[in-house]
Amino acid sequence: MHDEPIDPFNGDPADPTAGLDDPGDDATPDPLTDVERQDVLEDLADLEIYQALLAPIGVRGLVIECEDCREPHYFDWDLLRGNLRHLLNSGRPRVHEPAYDPDPDHYVTWDYARGYADGVHDTLTEGTEDEPGTPTATQ
Ligand SMILES: [Zn+2]
């Protein structure tokens, strides 16, 4: 069982996305760096886990403190996924498109979701000694 999502193109010189970098075209924004792309892919993978764990207990999405507006924005799971995919494809974040008239009680932060997922993971692996000892890196 793998704890960390794996980027299939990580370190692969034959990365099929490498050809997307066309510095001659001014109309396209700078593509994400490998590190940024990796971050987005990891966020997407985390998102799947968080939604699977939290949606059944009534959580509708995540709340993100916006650095531009200095206000919390509430994003449904689908919206979050769409935004991350958009970022991955276009290289720039989407204009703020938070959920309409959200109920703050139904949204949690990334940190909360991460902590919750870690807690569930610990509970599931507690007492089972057959898992290879992979140290979990805290981010
Ligand atoms: Zn904002």
mmCIF file of all heavy atoms in Angstrom, residues 87-132:
data_model
loop_
_atom_site.group_PDB
_atom_site.id
_atom_site.type_symbol
_atom_site.label_atom_id
_atom_site.label_comp_id
_atom_site.label_asym_id
_atom_site.label_seq_id
_atom_site.Cartn_x
_atom_site.Cartn_y
_atom_site.Cartn_z
ATOM 1 N N LEU A 87 -5.612 24.494 -13.391
ATOM 2 C CA LEU A 87 -4.261 24.964 -13.095
ATOM 3 C C LEU A 87 -3.225 24.081 -13.784
ATOM 4 O O LEU A 87 -2.237 24.565 -14.347
ATOM 5 C CB LEU A 87 -4.051 24.956 -11.578
ATOM 6 C CG LEU A 87 -2.685 25.398 -11.057
ATOM 7 C CD1 LEU A 87 -2.355 26.807 -11.469
ATOM 8 C CD2 LEU A 87 -2.665 25.297 -9.530
ATOM 9 N N LEU A 88 -3.463 22.785 -13.757
ATOM 10 C CA LEU A 88 -2.556 21.825 -14.368
ATOM 11 C C LEU A 88 -2.488 22.037 -15.880
ATOM 12 O O LEU A 88 -1.422 21.961 -16.488
ATOM 13 C CB LEU A 88 -3.064 20.420 -14.060
ATOM 14 C CG LEU A 88 -2.062 19.267 -14.021
ATOM 15 C CD1 LEU A 88 -0.924 19.543 -13.072
ATOM 16 C CD2 LEU A 88 -2.793 18.000 -13.618
ATOM 17 N N ASN A 89 -3.624 22.304 -16.483
ATOM 18 C CA ASN A 89 -3.680 22.405 -17.940
ATOM 19 C C ASN A 89 -3.250 23.772 -18.457
ATOM 20 O O ASN A 89 -2.614 23.867 -19.504
ATOM 21 C CB ASN A 89 -5.103 22.117 -18.429
ATOM 22 C CG ASN A 89 -5.484 20.668 -18.195
ATOM 23 O OD1 ASN A 89 -4.628 19.793 -18.198
ATOM 24 N ND2 ASN A 89 -6.761 20.428 -17.971
ATOM 25 N N SER A 90 -3.614 24.814 -17.737
ATOM 26 C CA SER A 90 -3.373 26.154 -18.261
ATOM 27 C C SER A 90 -2.163 26.825 -17.645
ATOM 28 O O SER A 90 -1.633 27.781 -18.193
ATOM 29 C CB SER A 90 -4.600 27.034 -18.007
ATOM 30 O OG SER A 90 -4.681 27.342 -16.627
ATOM 31 N N GLY A 91 -1.732 26.346 -16.488
ATOM 32 C CA GLY A 91 -0.590 26.944 -15.836
ATOM 33 C C GLY A 91 -0.935 28.148 -14.983
ATOM 34 O O GLY A 91 -0.063 28.768 -14.398
ATOM 35 N N ARG A 92 -2.203 28.506 -14.935
ATOM 36 C CA ARG A 92 -2.577 29.618 -14.060
ATOM 37 C C ARG A 92 -3.881 29.295 -13.339
ATOM 38 O O ARG A 92 -4.735 28.610 -13.867
ATOM 39 C CB ARG A 92 -2.724 30.917 -14.848
ATOM 40 C CG ARG A 92 -3.650 30.818 -16.028
ATOM 41 C CD ARG A 92 -3.874 32.170 -16.646
ATOM 42 N NE ARG A 92 -2.612 32.815 -17.012
ATOM 43 C CZ ARG A 92 -2.542 33.955 -17.699
ATOM 44 N NH1 ARG A 92 -3.652 34.566 -18.071
ATOM 45 N NH2 ARG A 92 -1.378 34.483 -18.010
ATOM 46 N N PRO A 93 -3.991 29.797 -12.098
ATOM 47 C CA PRO A 93 -5.197 29.489 -11.336
ATOM 48 C C PRO A 93 -6.422 30.167 -11.941
ATOM 49 O O PRO A 93 -6.312 31.193 -12.609
ATOM 50 C CB PRO A 93 -4.892 30.037 -9.946
ATOM 51 C CG PRO A 93 -3.811 31.032 -10.150
ATOM 52 C CD PRO A 93 -3.047 30.626 -11.372
ATOM 53 N N ARG A 94 -7.539 29.570 -11.724
ATOM 54 C CA ARG A 94 -8.784 30.133 -12.202
ATOM 55 C C ARG A 94 -9.138 31.355 -11.374
ATOM 56 O O ARG A 94 -8.749 31.487 -10.232
ATOM 57 C CB ARG A 94 -9.878 29.082 -11.995
ATOM 58 C CG ARG A 94 -10.851 28.988 -13.128
ATOM 59 C CD ARG A 94 -11.875 27.954 -12.773
ATOM 60 N NE ARG A 94 -12.050 26.967 -13.816
ATOM 61 C CZ ARG A 94 -12.813 25.909 -13.687
ATOM 62 N NH1 ARG A 94 -13.444 25.690 -12.567
ATOM 63 N NH2 ARG A 94 -12.944 25.075 -14.668
ATOM 64 N N VAL A 95 -9.888 32.245 -11.965
ATOM 65 C CA VAL A 95 -10.404 33.381 -11.216
ATOM 66 C C VAL A 95 -11.279 32.827 -10.082
ATOM 67 O O VAL A 95 -11.895 31.780 -10.228
ATOM 68 C CB VAL A 95 -11.249 34.290 -12.131
ATOM 69 C CG1 VAL A 95 -11.613 35.570 -11.393
ATOM 70 C CG2 VAL A 95 -10.498 34.601 -13.400
ATOM 71 N N HIS A 96 -11.285 33.551 -8.979
ATOM 72 C CA HIS A 96 -12.018 33.072 -7.808
ATOM 73 C C HIS A 96 -13.440 32.689 -8.180
ATOM 74 O O HIS A 96 -14.185 33.493 -8.716
ATOM 75 C CB HIS A 96 -12.068 34.156 -6.729
ATOM 76 C CG HIS A 96 -10.719 34.681 -6.404
ATOM 77 N ND1 HIS A 96 -9.786 33.942 -5.726
ATOM 78 C CD2 HIS A 96 -10.137 35.858 -6.692
ATOM 79 C CE1 HIS A 96 -8.680 34.666 -5.605
ATOM 80 N NE2 HIS A 96 -8.862 35.820 -6.184
ATOM 81 N N GLU A 97 -13.736 31.450 -7.862
ATOM 82 C CA GLU A 97 -15.064 30.973 -8.217
ATOM 83 C C GLU A 97 -15.589 30.109 -7.075
ATOM 84 O O GLU A 97 -15.827 28.920 -7.234
ATOM 85 C CB GLU A 97 -14.977 30.142 -9.494
ATOM 86 C CG GLU A 97 -16.279 30.050 -10.241
ATOM 87 C CD GLU A 97 -16.103 29.166 -11.465
ATOM 88 O OE1 GLU A 97 -15.191 29.436 -12.248
ATOM 89 O OE2 GLU A 97 -16.873 28.216 -11.607
ATOM 90 N N PRO A 98 -15.720 30.733 -5.912
ATOM 91 C CA PRO A 98 -16.124 29.933 -4.761
ATOM 92 C C PRO A 98 -17.583 29.505 -4.859
ATOM 93 O O PRO A 98 -18.328 30.006 -5.679
ATOM 94 C CB PRO A 98 -15.901 30.867 -3.572
ATOM 95 C CG PRO A 98 -15.864 32.234 -4.134
ATOM 96 C CD PRO A 98 -15.545 32.140 -5.594
ATOM 97 N N ALA A 99 -17.924 28.569 -4.003
ATOM 98 C CA ALA A 99 -19.301 28.086 -3.954
ATOM 99 C C ALA A 99 -20.243 29.236 -3.604
ATOM 100 O O ALA A 99 -19.875 30.172 -2.896
ATOM 101 C CB ALA A 99 -19.420 26.965 -2.935
ATOM 102 N N TYR A 100 -21.419 29.173 -4.094
ATOM 103 C CA TYR A 100 -22.395 30.228 -3.868
ATOM 104 C C TYR A 100 -23.075 30.036 -2.525
ATOM 105 O O TYR A 100 -23.595 28.961 -2.228
ATOM 106 C CB TYR A 100 -23.442 30.223 -4.986
ATOM 107 C CG TYR A 100 -24.548 31.226 -4.764
ATOM 108 C CD1 TYR A 100 -24.293 32.584 -4.939
ATOM 109 C CD2 TYR A 100 -25.808 30.813 -4.365
ATOM 110 C CE1 TYR A 100 -25.290 33.506 -4.722
ATOM 111 C CE2 TYR A 100 -26.822 31.742 -4.149
ATOM 112 C CZ TYR A 100 -26.553 33.083 -4.333
ATOM 113 O OH TYR A 100 -27.540 34.003 -4.117
ATOM 114 N N ASP A 101 -23.053 31.116 -1.719
ATOM 115 C CA ASP A 101 -23.761 31.127 -0.447
ATOM 116 C C ASP A 101 -23.528 29.853 0.373
ATOM 117 O O ASP A 101 -24.468 29.141 0.711
ATOM 118 C CB ASP A 101 -25.267 31.282 -0.710
ATOM 119 C CG ASP A 101 -25.973 31.707 0.575
ATOM 120 O OD1 ASP A 101 -25.295 32.195 1.501
ATOM 121 O OD2 ASP A 101 -27.191 31.537 0.649
ATOM 122 N N PRO A 102 -22.265 29.569 0.673
ATOM 123 C CA PRO A 102 -21.966 28.306 1.359
ATOM 124 C C PRO A 102 -22.300 28.358 2.842
ATOM 125 O O PRO A 102 -22.363 29.437 3.428
ATOM 126 C CB PRO A 102 -20.459 28.178 1.163
ATOM 127 C CG PRO A 102 -19.978 29.598 1.134
ATOM 128 C CD PRO A 102 -21.079 30.402 0.478
ATOM 129 N N ASP A 103 -22.493 27.220 3.418
ATOM 130 C CA ASP A 103 -22.652 27.102 4.858
ATOM 131 C C ASP A 103 -21.295 26.699 5.433
ATOM 132 O O ASP A 103 -20.836 25.588 5.207
ATOM 133 C CB ASP A 103 -23.695 26.020 5.168
ATOM 134 C CG ASP A 103 -23.934 25.901 6.659
ATOM 135 O OD1 ASP A 103 -23.103 26.413 7.449
ATOM 136 O OD2 ASP A 103 -24.947 25.303 7.043
ATOM 137 N N PRO A 104 -20.656 27.637 6.165
ATOM 138 C CA PRO A 104 -19.296 27.369 6.652
ATOM 139 C C PRO A 104 -19.173 26.092 7.469
ATOM 140 O O PRO A 104 -18.092 25.509 7.538
ATOM 141 C CB PRO A 104 -18.989 28.592 7.521
ATOM 142 C CG PRO A 104 -19.878 29.661 7.003
ATOM 143 C CD PRO A 104 -21.136 28.966 6.524
ATOM 144 N N ASP A 105 -20.270 25.666 8.082
ATOM 145 C CA ASP A 105 -20.206 24.455 8.892
ATOM 146 C C ASP A 105 -19.863 23.214 8.069
ATOM 147 O O ASP A 105 -19.443 22.205 8.618
ATOM 148 C CB ASP A 105 -21.548 24.213 9.592
ATOM 149 C CG ASP A 105 -21.772 25.232 10.692
ATOM 150 O OD1 ASP A 105 -20.797 25.910 11.069
ATOM 151 O OD2 ASP A 105 -22.911 25.348 11.162
ATOM 152 N N HIS A 106 -20.070 23.306 6.780
ATOM 153 C CA HIS A 106 -19.881 22.121 5.936
ATOM 154 C C HIS A 106 -18.539 22.106 5.212
ATOM 155 O O HIS A 106 -18.323 21.280 4.333
ATOM 156 C CB HIS A 106 -21.008 22.012 4.917
ATOM 157 C CG HIS A 106 -22.330 21.721 5.540
ATOM 158 N ND1 HIS A 106 -22.660 20.474 6.019
ATOM 159 C CD2 HIS A 106 -23.385 22.523 5.794
ATOM 160 C CE1 HIS A 106 -23.882 20.522 6.526
ATOM 161 N NE2 HIS A 106 -24.344 21.744 6.400
ATOM 162 N N TYR A 107 -17.664 23.051 5.586
ATOM 163 C CA TYR A 107 -16.369 23.105 4.918
ATOM 164 C C TYR A 107 -15.251 23.056 5.947
ATOM 165 O O TYR A 107 -15.365 23.614 7.024
ATOM 166 C CB TYR A 107 -16.256 24.385 4.076
ATOM 167 C CG TYR A 107 -17.249 24.410 2.941
ATOM 168 C CD1 TYR A 107 -18.561 24.790 3.169
ATOM 169 C CD2 TYR A 107 -16.870 24.027 1.665
ATOM 170 C CE1 TYR A 107 -19.494 24.786 2.141
ATOM 171 C CE2 TYR A 107 -17.785 24.027 0.636
ATOM 172 C CZ TYR A 107 -19.096 24.406 0.875
ATOM 173 O OH TYR A 107 -20.012 24.399 -0.131
ATOM 174 N N VAL A 108 -14.170 22.366 5.593
ATOM 175 C CA VAL A 108 -13.015 22.268 6.482
ATOM 176 C C VAL A 108 -11.774 22.729 5.731
ATOM 177 O O VAL A 108 -11.774 22.843 4.507
ATOM 178 C CB VAL A 108 -12.820 20.821 6.988
ATOM 179 C CG1 VAL A 108 -14.033 20.351 7.775
ATOM 180 C CG2 VAL A 108 -12.518 19.864 5.837
ATOM 181 N N THR A 109 -10.703 22.988 6.479
ATOM 182 C CA THR A 109 -9.456 23.430 5.857
ATOM 183 C C THR A 109 -8.665 22.231 5.353
ATOM 184 O O THR A 109 -8.924 21.088 5.744
ATOM 185 C CB THR A 109 -8.584 24.189 6.868
ATOM 186 O OG1 THR A 109 -8.249 23.299 7.937
ATOM 187 C CG2 THR A 109 -9.320 25.395 7.432
ATOM 188 N N TRP A 110 -7.688 22.504 4.485
ATOM 189 C CA TRP A 110 -6.775 21.444 4.036
ATOM 190 C C TRP A 110 -6.128 20.780 5.245
ATOM 191 O O TRP A 110 -6.006 19.564 5.291
ATOM 192 C CB TRP A 110 -5.659 22.032 3.163
ATOM 193 C CG TRP A 110 -6.004 22.244 1.731
ATOM 194 C CD1 TRP A 110 -6.328 23.433 1.151
ATOM 195 C CD2 TRP A 110 -6.041 21.260 0.670
ATOM 196 N NE1 TRP A 110 -6.568 23.243 -0.193
ATOM 197 C CE2 TRP A 110 -6.385 21.929 -0.519
ATOM 198 C CE3 TRP A 110 -5.796 19.890 0.631
ATOM 199 C CZ2 TRP A 110 -6.508 21.279 -1.741
ATOM 200 C CZ3 TRP A 110 -5.917 19.242 -0.589
ATOM 201 C CH2 TRP A 110 -6.276 19.923 -1.750
ATOM 202 N N ASP A 111 -5.693 21.602 6.204
ATOM 203 C CA ASP A 111 -5.002 21.054 7.362
ATOM 204 C C ASP A 111 -5.896 20.100 8.137
ATOM 205 O O ASP A 111 -5.465 19.038 8.579
ATOM 206 C CB ASP A 111 -4.538 22.187 8.290
ATOM 207 C CG ASP A 111 -3.296 22.877 7.745
ATOM 208 O OD1 ASP A 111 -2.667 22.314 6.828
ATOM 209 O OD2 ASP A 111 -2.977 23.966 8.232
ATOM 210 N N TYR A 112 -7.152 20.509 8.287
ATOM 211 C CA TYR A 112 -8.086 19.639 8.993
ATOM 212 C C TYR A 112 -8.254 18.324 8.233
ATOM 213 O O TYR A 112 -8.203 17.237 8.820
ATOM 214 C CB TYR A 112 -9.439 20.328 9.145
ATOM 215 C CG TYR A 112 -10.477 19.441 9.805
ATOM 216 C CD1 TYR A 112 -10.669 19.478 11.182
ATOM 217 C CD2 TYR A 112 -11.240 18.557 9.040
ATOM 218 C CE1 TYR A 112 -11.603 18.660 11.787
ATOM 219 C CE2 TYR A 112 -12.169 17.728 9.634
ATOM 220 C CZ TYR A 112 -12.350 17.781 11.001
ATOM 221 O OH TYR A 112 -13.266 16.960 11.587
ATOM 222 N N ALA A 113 -8.455 18.441 6.911
ATOM 223 C CA ALA A 113 -8.660 17.244 6.101
ATOM 224 C C ALA A 113 -7.441 16.330 6.167
ATOM 225 O O ALA A 113 -7.563 15.108 6.281
ATOM 226 C CB ALA A 113 -8.946 17.636 4.647
ATOM 227 N N ARG A 114 -6.262 16.946 6.119
ATOM 228 C CA ARG A 114 -5.023 16.160 6.170
ATOM 229 C C ARG A 114 -4.913 15.442 7.507
ATOM 230 O O ARG A 114 -4.589 14.260 7.572
ATOM 231 C CB ARG A 114 -3.819 17.076 5.953
ATOM 232 C CG ARG A 114 -2.496 16.334 5.900
ATOM 233 C CD ARG A 114 -1.348 17.272 5.584
ATOM 234 N NE ARG A 114 -1.439 17.779 4.233
ATOM 235 C CZ ARG A 114 -1.392 19.061 3.899
ATOM 236 N NH1 ARG A 114 -1.264 19.969 4.848
ATOM 237 N NH2 ARG A 114 -1.480 19.436 2.655
ATOM 238 N N GLY A 115 -5.192 16.182 8.579
ATOM 239 C CA GLY A 115 -5.128 15.582 9.904
ATOM 240 C C GLY A 115 -6.137 14.458 10.063
ATOM 241 O O GLY A 115 -5.841 13.419 10.645
ATOM 242 N N TYR A 116 -7.315 14.681 9.510
ATOM 243 C CA TYR A 116 -8.361 13.659 9.584
ATOM 244 C C TYR A 116 -7.928 12.407 8.840
ATOM 245 O O TYR A 116 -8.064 11.291 9.338
ATOM 246 C CB TYR A 116 -9.651 14.212 8.981
ATOM 247 C CG TYR A 116 -10.848 13.323 9.199
ATOM 248 C CD1 TYR A 116 -11.645 13.468 10.332
ATOM 249 C CD2 TYR A 116 -11.169 12.337 8.272
ATOM 250 C CE1 TYR A 116 -12.727 12.655 10.534
ATOM 251 C CE2 TYR A 116 -12.258 11.510 8.467
ATOM 252 C CZ TYR A 116 -13.038 11.670 9.598
ATOM 253 O OH TYR A 116 -14.118 10.857 9.791
ATOM 254 N N ALA A 117 -7.392 12.600 7.630
ATOM 255 C CA ALA A 117 -6.949 11.465 6.821
ATOM 256 C C ALA A 117 -5.824 10.711 7.523
ATOM 257 O O ALA A 117 -5.792 9.481 7.523
ATOM 258 C CB ALA A 117 -6.490 11.938 5.446
ATOM 259 N N ASP A 118 -4.896 11.470 8.133
ATOM 260 C CA ASP A 118 -3.805 10.831 8.864
ATOM 261 C C ASP A 118 -4.350 10.012 10.027
ATOM 262 O O ASP A 118 -3.882 8.909 10.301
ATOM 263 C CB ASP A 118 -2.827 11.885 9.401
ATOM 264 C CG ASP A 118 -1.957 12.454 8.283
ATOM 265 O OD1 ASP A 118 -1.967 11.884 7.169
ATOM 266 O OD2 ASP A 118 -1.281 13.466 8.527
ATOM 267 N N GLY A 119 -5.331 10.571 10.718
ATOM 268 C CA GLY A 119 -5.924 9.882 11.854
ATOM 269 C C GLY A 119 -6.592 8.587 11.432
ATOM 270 O O GLY A 119 -6.440 7.547 12.081
ATOM 271 N N VAL A 120 -7.336 8.653 10.328
ATOM 272 C CA VAL A 120 -7.994 7.450 9.812
ATOM 273 C C VAL A 120 -6.952 6.424 9.403
ATOM 274 O O VAL A 120 -7.067 5.241 9.692
ATOM 275 C CB VAL A 120 -8.897 7.799 8.613
ATOM 276 C CG1 VAL A 120 -9.383 6.536 7.918
ATOM 277 C CG2 VAL A 120 -10.076 8.642 9.077
ATOM 278 N N HIS A 121 -5.891 6.902 8.754
ATOM 279 C CA HIS A 121 -4.820 6.005 8.309
ATOM 280 C C HIS A 121 -4.182 5.305 9.511
ATOM 281 O O HIS A 121 -3.968 4.102 9.496
ATOM 282 C CB HIS A 121 -3.762 6.805 7.540
ATOM 283 C CG HIS A 121 -2.614 5.960 7.068
ATOM 284 N ND1 HIS A 121 -2.679 5.206 5.931
ATOM 285 C CD2 HIS A 121 -1.397 5.734 7.605
ATOM 286 C CE1 HIS A 121 -1.542 4.557 5.777
ATOM 287 N NE2 HIS A 121 -0.745 4.861 6.769
ATOM 288 N N ASP A 122 -3.913 6.081 10.567
ATOM 289 C CA ASP A 122 -3.311 5.496 11.756
ATOM 290 C C ASP A 122 -4.220 4.440 12.367
ATOM 291 O O ASP A 122 -3.765 3.389 12.803
ATOM 292 C CB ASP A 122 -3.022 6.591 12.791
ATOM 293 C CG ASP A 122 -1.866 7.469 12.349
ATOM 294 O OD1 ASP A 122 -1.173 7.090 11.387
ATOM 295 O OD2 ASP A 122 -1.667 8.537 12.953
ATOM 296 N N THR A 123 -5.517 4.742 12.408
ATOM 297 C CA THR A 123 -6.468 3.803 12.985
ATOM 298 C C THR A 123 -6.489 2.509 12.183
ATOM 299 O O THR A 123 -6.518 1.413 12.734
ATOM 300 C CB THR A 123 -7.887 4.418 12.991
ATOM 301 O OG1 THR A 123 -7.827 5.671 13.672
ATOM 302 C CG2 THR A 123 -8.869 3.500 13.685
ATOM 303 N N LEU A 124 -6.459 2.659 10.865
ATOM 304 C CA LEU A 124 -6.542 1.486 9.995
ATOM 305 C C LEU A 124 -5.288 0.623 10.089
ATOM 306 O O LEU A 124 -5.356 -0.596 9.983
ATOM 307 C CB LEU A 124 -6.746 1.916 8.538
ATOM 308 C CG LEU A 124 -8.115 2.526 8.214
ATOM 309 C CD1 LEU A 124 -8.150 2.986 6.768
ATOM 310 C CD2 LEU A 124 -9.227 1.525 8.485
ATOM 311 N N THR A 125 -4.124 1.275 10.270
ATOM 312 C CA THR A 125 -2.874 0.521 10.263
ATOM 313 C C THR A 125 -2.465 0.089 11.656
ATOM 314 O O THR A 125 -1.512 -0.669 11.816
ATOM 315 C CB THR A 125 -1.731 1.357 9.658
ATOM 316 O OG1 THR A 125 -1.660 2.598 10.365
ATOM 317 C CG2 THR A 125 -1.975 1.612 8.184
ATOM 318 N N GLU A 126 -3.181 0.553 12.666
ATOM 319 C CA GLU A 126 -2.841 0.202 14.032
ATOM 320 C C GLU A 126 -2.987 -1.308 14.235
ATOM 321 O O GLU A 126 -4.006 -1.888 13.876
ATOM 322 C CB GLU A 126 -3.769 0.942 14.999
ATOM 323 C CG GLU A 126 -3.075 1.388 16.263
ATOM 324 C CD GLU A 126 -3.893 2.453 16.958
ATOM 325 O OE1 GLU A 126 -4.956 2.090 17.474
ATOM 326 O OE2 GLU A 126 -3.495 3.633 16.957
ATOM 327 N N GLY A 127 -1.952 -1.927 14.797
ATOM 328 C CA GLY A 127 -2.040 -3.349 15.089
ATOM 329 C C GLY A 127 -1.689 -4.237 13.923
ATOM 330 O O GLY A 127 -1.479 -5.424 14.100
ATOM 331 N N THR A 128 -1.617 -3.705 12.738
ATOM 332 C CA THR A 128 -1.208 -4.527 11.609
ATOM 333 C C THR A 128 0.280 -4.333 11.368
ATOM 334 O O THR A 128 0.736 -3.246 11.051
ATOM 335 C CB THR A 128 -1.983 -4.153 10.329
ATOM 336 O OG1 THR A 128 -1.773 -2.768 10.053
ATOM 337 C CG2 THR A 128 -3.464 -4.405 10.501
ATOM 338 N N GLU A 129 1.019 -5.400 11.532
ATOM 339 C CA GLU A 129 2.477 -5.296 11.446
ATOM 340 C C GLU A 129 3.010 -5.692 10.078
ATOM 341 O O GLU A 129 4.206 -5.662 9.853
ATOM 342 C CB GLU A 129 3.115 -6.193 12.511
ATOM 343 C CG GLU A 129 2.696 -5.860 13.925
ATOM 344 C CD GLU A 129 3.225 -4.502 14.375
ATOM 345 O OE1 GLU A 129 4.123 -3.952 13.704
ATOM 346 O OE2 GLU A 129 2.745 -4.001 15.382
ATOM 347 N N ASP A 130 2.130 -6.049 9.184
ATOM 348 C CA ASP A 130 2.608 -6.585 7.905
ATOM 349 C C ASP A 130 2.875 -5.498 6.872
ATOM 350 O O ASP A 130 3.270 -5.781 5.765
ATOM 351 C CB ASP A 130 1.599 -7.593 7.342
ATOM 352 C CG ASP A 130 0.216 -7.017 7.227
ATOM 353 O OD1 ASP A 130 -0.033 -5.934 7.815
ATOM 354 O OD2 ASP A 130 -0.633 -7.613 6.569
ATOM 355 N N GLU A 131 2.628 -4.236 7.258
ATOM 356 C CA GLU A 131 2.890 -3.169 6.297
ATOM 357 C C GLU A 131 4.360 -2.788 6.328
ATOM 358 O O GLU A 131 4.940 -2.645 7.399
ATOM 359 C CB GLU A 131 2.032 -1.936 6.629
ATOM 360 C CG GLU A 131 1.985 -0.958 5.458
ATOM 361 C CD GLU A 131 1.183 0.285 5.820
ATOM 362 O OE1 GLU A 131 1.377 0.800 6.917
ATOM 363 O OE2 GLU A 131 0.402 0.737 4.978
ATOM 364 N N PRO A 132 4.967 -2.629 5.170
ATOM 365 C CA PRO A 132 6.362 -2.197 5.149
ATOM 366 C C PRO A 132 6.538 -0.856 5.822
ATOM 367 O O PRO A 132 5.693 0.030 5.657
ATOM 368 C CB PRO A 132 6.698 -2.102 3.658
ATOM 369 C CG PRO A 132 5.504 -2.521 2.903
ATOM 370 C CD PRO A 132 4.402 -2.825 3.861
#
